Amino acid sequence: MKFSVSSATLLKFLQKAGGAIGSNPVLPILEDFLFQVEENTLIISSTDLETSITTQLDVQGEENGAVAIPAKILMDTLKALPEQPVTLLIDDEAFGIEITSSYGKYKLAGDNPEDFPKIPASEEDDTVEIDASVVLEAISNTLFATSNDELRLAMTGVLVQVDFNKLTFVSTDAHKLVKYAAHNVNSNVSASFILPKKACTLLKSVLPATGMVILRFNRSNAFFEFDNTQLVCRLIDAKYPDYNAVIPADNPYSLTVGRADFLNSLKRIVIYSNKTTNQVILKINDGSLNISAQDLDFSNEAAEQMTCSYDGDPIIIGFNAKFLIEMLGVLNSDEVFVKLSTPNKAGLLLPTEQVENEEITMLVMPVMLNQ
Amino acid sequence: MDAFFASVEQRDFPELRGKPVAVGGNKERGVVAAASYEARKFGVYSAMPSVVAARKCPDLIFVKHRFDVYRAVSQQIREIFYEYTNLVEPLSLDEAFLDVTENKLAIESATKIAKEIKAKIKAATRLTASAGISVNKFLAKVASDIHKPDGCTLIPPENVAAFIDQLPIKKFFGIGAKTAEKMNAYGIHSGKDLKAFPKVELIRRFGKMGSYYYDIANGIDDRPVKPFRERKSYSTERTFDQDLQTMDEVKQKIVELASMVSKGTGKKNIKGKTVFIKIRFNDFITYTRQRTLHKITNEKTIIENTAIDLLTEFTTQFKPVRLLGVGLSNLDEKDQNQISLNL
């Protein structure tokens, strides 16, 4: 196998595919990229057995073939080279690799491509076509609210529900919950699956900002296709809890406040909160929102007053400021609604204006105040 | 689950069925992680050195553990528990406490729930489980061990006192072999004997735990079923194939272990305030040493330096080292006031 390509182009594609390589691979070959050259196309694959990425680029091919090539050495070499054409020559018998740059030659040992794990392929699976921007938006809105608790495996991922033209992404760690729905999707299926966190993180970094994504899925895998690239991931095999049951339908009190002002205020106040709880207290009266925090261990305290519009009985409610900051940071609207009922029940955080064809609901559980 | 790891192996490899099986290394230094019921007849138990087990049961078949499979089964059974309640407190991969006082299906009889869960576990995993039902965690756990395998034991409130009275001290959950021995020396052989001891006496003889012993002997155990079991510490330890012969080797291993602890806690976003080490010499005498820092951490260099510092007292009387461990405890506690969704 032999081909030539620009070092910078190759590196760009390797960085795209490299995300699937695990930090602590169980098999040495999982530290490799699989390279396959067919005519003038180089196909690059990587996998951690759960998540796999395959991508392809144009190269100047001289001889077809395949090899598994250690990812780190190759990438480090390319990073250390100024952009220039490089040639890779692979001995198809012994899997020795020789890289030639304008400076010299670099040799490393590859592995037998036959030993590289087979990446699952999609067969007649359910198919959905979505704008890449919608998938990106859905993931950005939900990824942060997934759980780290491996005892509740389902909640460590993002629930994806496809219902004909509607696509819903849901995540929760039992303290916060996000439901993101897009209404302009093209499919003729109604089904759901749980996408692992790693796949979401990878998608976020490799999805293009524009263009279409073709999503195929079956009971065990999901396949995302875009830009000559395919990301395959094993789905989480667990039952997602009935999240709809915990989203309050009619929180009677409604606070309307500028999103950026609220966010910036919280960022200042949280500095003075207890470091383990990040607890802030919201005192809401007609027209005024008082945000305060204190850390008794260090005698730190802070309070700010903001104007707002509020419809409801005066309320004093505590939250983990980190949750509010994450949620407000993800939302885009100028103003947000905070819908509340009692100080020990779920609060809702909603954009005052939903983007066309999009619907975001964020829920946050309060902290009990010791008073 | 009954003889969990061993049963999974017998399920997946029919040739192991009906035979004495031990999961664990059969190397000179391995220990038995789980023994099949056939092996237990020969006196083979978990945590027994493999050499001893092989001596007790010459036909014992050693198989390598497959934790991925055990974890998957564990996940399957947990999903079944969650059909009934969210108040599930895992005790290990194959054991959990469930508070079914208010369950999702509004079933009034806990025994009925236990039987349903057992049936579902069997259908889903082709493995048997044993259940214990009672008024508190201590009694439920003890009850679950009574009729194994495939047991289902109820200790109703009116039988609690009589049950505890006859229960041999070594069967008490939370009383280990060492403590049981000590209690025997004081003439305590059964729950009845334990009950006869005043609380202050037990505390005087057994320290803080004395108060727990007194309570359980009197049927008092108010510990709630905690769905998210708080992790108390994070540690890594290694038994070496060959004893470490020099302090330099020990230090090098400590550095490796500290780095693993730092990596592991970093991944799980855990920090702790206390660094501890565990060291076992070739004469099996084991020491633990710990130091509490000024602030919580999971940084490699801090864990490493503290752990190496804790080693210094052993330099003067060095003996070959069989096992080393490094860990973090006194972990950053989560906010107890944070309310959770009932999912």
Side-chain angles (χ1 to χ4, degrees):
Chain A
M1 168 176 142
K2 188 179 181 186
F3 68 91
S4 302
V5 65
S6 139
S7 61
T9 311
L10 181 58
L11 181 61
K12 197 179 86 188
F13 279 82
L14 292 179
Q15 279 164 335
K16 194 165 167 179
I21 297 176
S23 51
N24 244 333
V26 289
L27 301 170
I29 199 154
L30 299 178
E31 293 169 5
D32 291 355
F33 288 113
L34 176 65
F35 273 25
Q36 292 163 285
V37 170
E38 283 164 26
E39 306 305 330
N40 285 324
T41 304
L42 168 66
I43 304 169
I44 305 169
S45 306
S46 71
T47 183
D48 67 354
L49 300 177
E50 298 260 326
T51 318
S52 314
I53 294 184
T54 302
T55 188
Q56 50 178 282
L57 67 152
D58 293 339
V59 295
Q60 218 174 348
E62 284 182 43
E63 209 178 297
N64 291 352
V67 70
I69 181 165
K72 190 170 184 306
I73 296 191
L74 178 61
M75 288 174 77
D76 286 349
T77 308
L78 295 172
K79 275 181 209 161
L81 282 175
E83 176 166 13
Q84 61 183 284
V86 287
T87 303
L88 276 80
L89 172 68
I90 286 97
D91 165 3
D92 289 330
E93 301 282 301
F95 313 113
I97 299 156
E98 185 182 282
I99 306 169
T100 310
S101 78
S102 61
Y103 301 103
K105 284 190 193 311
Y106 322 92
K107 286 186 186 175
L108 68 157
D111 292 304
N112 188 339
E114 298 296 323
D115 296 338
F116 199 83
K118 288 272 165 295
I119 294 172
S122 172
E123 288 161 21
E124 297 169 13
D125 299 320
D126 288 325
T127 304
V128 186
E129 273 183 53
I130 329 161
D131 278 334
S133 61
V134 171
V135 181
L136 274 175
E137 190 68 13
I139 291 174
S140 315
N141 272 283
T142 48
L143 187 57
F144 76 92
T146 52
S147 165
N148 290 319
D149 182 3
E150 277 156 29
L151 298 180
R152 300 289 304 269
L153 209 54
M155 284 156 58
T156 62
V158 173
L159 174 72
V160 179
Q161 293 177 300
V162 184
D163 191 14
F164 303 106
N165 297 327
K166 185 177 171 187
L167 181 74
T168 312
F169 280 53
V170 180
S171 62
T172 181
D173 64 358
H175 298 141
K176 51 192 183 287
L177 182 150
V178 182
K179 177 179 172 183
Y180 175 95
H183 292 278
N184 49 347
V185 180
N186 201 350
S187 92
N188 49 12
V189 284
S190 178
S192 68
F193 55 84
I194 305 171
L195 214 52
K197 196 181 294 205
K198 178 167 179 184
C200 293
T201 312
L202 274 180
L203 280 169
K204 214 176 142 179
S205 65
V206 297
L207 273 178
T210 55
M212 294 302 279
V213 177
I214 297 173
L215 160 61
R216 292 180 223 277
F217 57 94
N218 52 40
R219 285 185 51 140
S220 32
N221 291 293
F223 308 83
F224 293 82
E225 280 168 36
F226 47 89
D227 261 9
N228 280 335
T229 301
Q230 178 174 250
L231 183 144
V232 184
C233 70
R234 187 145 89 209
L235 300 172
I236 295 180
D237 182 16
K239 205 173 133 204
Y240 207 81
D242 179 12
Y243 69 89
N244 270 319
V246 299
I247 302 179
D250 43 8
N251 273 359
Y253 306 157
S254 180
L255 164 78
T256 313
V257 63
R259 184 185 62 87
D261 291 345
F262 190 21
L263 176 60
N264 291 332
S265 173
L266 284 165
K267 281 182 179 168
R268 290 185 293 267
I269 298 293
V270 73
I271 300 168
Y272 294 83
S273 70
N274 179 297
K275 285 290 152 286
T276 51
T277 67
N278 299 302
Q279 179 185 299
V280 292
I281 299 174
L282 309 184
K283 284 184 200 145
I284 315 170
N285 283 305
D286 190 18
S288 91
L289 166 63
N290 178 292
I291 308 169
S292 65
Q294 58 176 344
D295 187 349
L296 294 174
D297 295 345
F298 296 94
S299 305
N300 294 342
E301 62 175 79
E304 288 189 13
Q305 191 93 8
M306 294 177 58
T307 53
C308 65
S309 72
Y310 180 61
D311 183 12
D313 293 340
I315 190 171
I316 299 176
I317 188 168
F319 286 106
N320 180 331
K322 274 202 158 162
F323 297 166
L324 294 176
I325 289 170
E326 280 175 319
M327 296 178 145
L328 291 165
V330 165
L331 291 172
N332 287 317
S333 62
D334 289 345
E335 289 191 310
V336 290
F337 291 128
V338 182
K339 306 230 176 197
L340 303 170
S341 61
T342 65
N344 58 2
K345 292 225 170 98
L348 292 178
L349 196 60
L350 312 165
T352 49
E353 284 173 23
Q354 299 276 10
V355 176
E356 197 189 345
N357 287 324
E358 177 185 284
E359 202 181 318
I360 306 175
T361 309
M362 294 193 174
L363 176 157
V364 56
M365 292 303 284
V367 290
M368 245 146 21
L369 299 175
N370 305 318
Q371 304 198 345
Chain B
M1 303 297 288
D2 301 320
F4 183 46
F5 300 167
S7 301
V8 171
E9 296 306 324
Q10 289 181 323
R11 176 191 74 174
D12 295 347
F13 300 98
E15 66 273 21
L16 297 176
R17 289 180 201 159
K19 304 222 173 104
V21 174
V23 177
N26 63 351
K27 274 193 298 179
E28 203 184 317
R29 309 206 128 175
V31 291
V32 175
S36 72
Y37 281 95
E38 295 83 357
R40 291 184 194 189
K41 282 190 198 132
F42 291 89
V44 175
Y45 290 102
S46 51
M48 180 181 274
S50 301
V51 194
V52 179
R55 203 181 308 136
K56 284 188 182 258
C57 176
D59 293 332
L60 190 62
I61 306 169
F62 284 94
V63 296
K64 241 191 120 202
H65 63 73
R66 295 182 299 146
F67 274 107
D68 287 351
V69 181
Y70 312 147
R71 258 192 289 272
V73 174
S74 174
Q75 184 59 32
Q76 271 180 304
I77 63 173
R78 261 172 216 160
E79 295 288 332
I80 296 171
F81 298 157
Y82 288 125
E83 291 175 26
Y84 294 87
T85 178
N86 286 336
L87 293 176
V88 175
E89 176 180 331
L91 209 55
S92 60
L93 274 183
D94 66 324
E95 260 183 315
F97 289 114
L98 276 72
D99 182 343
V100 294
T101 319
E102 289 177 35
N103 57 78
K104 291 181 185 173
L105 306 176
I107 300 172
E108 278 182 26
S109 154
T111 307
K112 185 164 180 252
I113 294 180
K115 285 188 175 151
E116 280 190 26
I117 291 179
K118 271 164 54 76
K120 283 187 185 175
I121 289 178
K122 196 156 193 184
T125 67
R126 292 185 287 133
L127 296 168
T128 61
S130 293
I133 305 129
S134 195
V135 293
N136 61 38
K137 280 168 47 167
F138 165 71
L139 287 162
K141 163 75 181 158
V142 175
S144 73
D145 287 330
I146 295 179
H147 297 294
K148 262 177 169 286
D150 207 9
C152 185
T153 309
L154 166 76
I155 306 172
E158 63 272 20
N159 294 357
V160 166
F163 175 82
I164 293 174
D165 279 356
Q166 58 74 40
L167 191 67
I169 256 343
K170 62 173 196 279
K171 293 253 166 141
F172 273 66
F173 173 52
I175 298 186
K178 281 259 169 64
T179 310
E181 229 170 77
K182 206 169 160 193
M183 285 194 174
N184 288 344
Y186 290 124
I188 304 173
H189 297 279
S190 69
K192 195 173 182 189
D193 303 332
L194 184 58
K195 222 190 269 186
F197 260 74
K199 194 171 192 167
V200 282
E201 277 302 301
L202 286 173
I203 296 175
R204 207 170 60 75
R205 289 173 200 205
F206 298 101
K208 256 197 283 186
M209 285 304 281
S211 155
Y212 166 75
Y213 301 147
Y214 177 85
D215 286 349
I216 54 174
N218 286 280
I220 303 165
D221 177 9
D222 293 331
R223 289 170 301 169
V225 172
K226 283 192 197 136
F228 298 99
R229 218 155 87 95
E230 290 282 309
R231 186 188 277 276
K232 297 228 170 70
S233 67
Y234 185 103
S235 62
T236 302
E237 59 177 56
R238 286 281 176 277
T239 303
F240 305 105
D241 287 339
Q242 274 161 12
D243 294 335
L244 306 180
Q245 301 292 342
T246 65
M247 202 59 185
D248 281 344
E249 280 181 78
V250 172
K251 278 187 183 161
Q252 189 196 327
K253 290 293 172 193
I254 286 279
V255 169
E256 284 171 26
L257 290 165
S259 147
M260 286 161 77
V261 169
S262 166
K263 221 173 178 177
T265 48
K267 229 181 200 174
K268 291 193 150 58
N269 203 11
I270 306 169
K271 290 181 178 179
K273 217 170 173 180
T274 303
V275 175
F276 62 90
I277 62 163
K278 181 171 167 188
I279 183 163
R280 178 175 294 153
F281 295 105
N282 64 345
D283 54 7
F284 272 84
I285 297 175
T286 309
Y287 300 90
T288 58
R289 291 292 180 266
Q290 62 175 52
R291 178 174 305 152
T292 300
L293 310 166
H294 296 294
K295 59 175 203 173
I296 56 165
T297 188
N298 57 12
E299 260 174 65
K300 182 172 164 265
T301 46
I302 298 176
I303 300 172
E304 191 181 297
N305 292 339
T306 315
I308 287 180
D309 228 27
L310 288 168
L311 270 180
T312 40
E313 68 167 287
F314 301 104
T315 29
T316 48
Q317 35 185 319
F318 186 80
K319 287 175 283 188
V321 173
R322 182 182 168 87
L323 171 149
L324 279 177
V326 174
L328 266 182
S329 64
N330 209 344
L331 302 181
D332 181 16
E333 78 240 49
K334 288 262 157 22
D335 186 2
Q336 300 295 331
N337 291 326
Q338 174 68 53
I339 307 170
S340 292
L341 285 165
N342 186 23
L343 280 164

